[in-house]
Amino acid sequence: MADNAANINTNGQGPKKVSSDGVSVEQHSVKDQIEADRYEQANSAAKSGPGIRNRKFRSRGPVF
């Protein structure tokens, strides 16, 4: 994940579109790169384990 943040930072400082010798290259917008990084982080967090567990509450004493 940190590697993606470094790539986004580097790409944000460079040009969006470059052409040389009849070949042109265009990268995704910084907004799209950030959204892709967030999507990746959300997927890895979901795969890491259960987030919220539902437990049945048991009272240890009388309920008034």
Side-chain angles (χ1 to χ4, degrees), residues 7-63:
N7 287 339
I8 293 170
N9 189 21
T10 303
N11 292 341
Q13 294 174 0
K16 181 175 173 135
K17 187 173 184 179
V18 176
S19 60
S20 175
D21 295 331
V23 177
S24 67
V25 177
E26 186 173 353
Q27 67 182 359
H28 294 284
S29 69
V30 175
K31 180 182 175 187
D32 291 342
Q33 292 178 33
I34 291 171
E35 287 177 7
D37 187 45
R38 286 183 182 163
Y39 177 77
E40 247 182 60
Q41 289 177 356
N43 279 345
S44 66
K47 290 179 183 179
S48 68
I52 298 174
R53 293 184 181 181
N54 292 331
R55 300 285 181 169
K56 188 173 181 179
F57 181 72
R58 291 190 330 185
S59 177
R60 300 263 181 213
V63 178

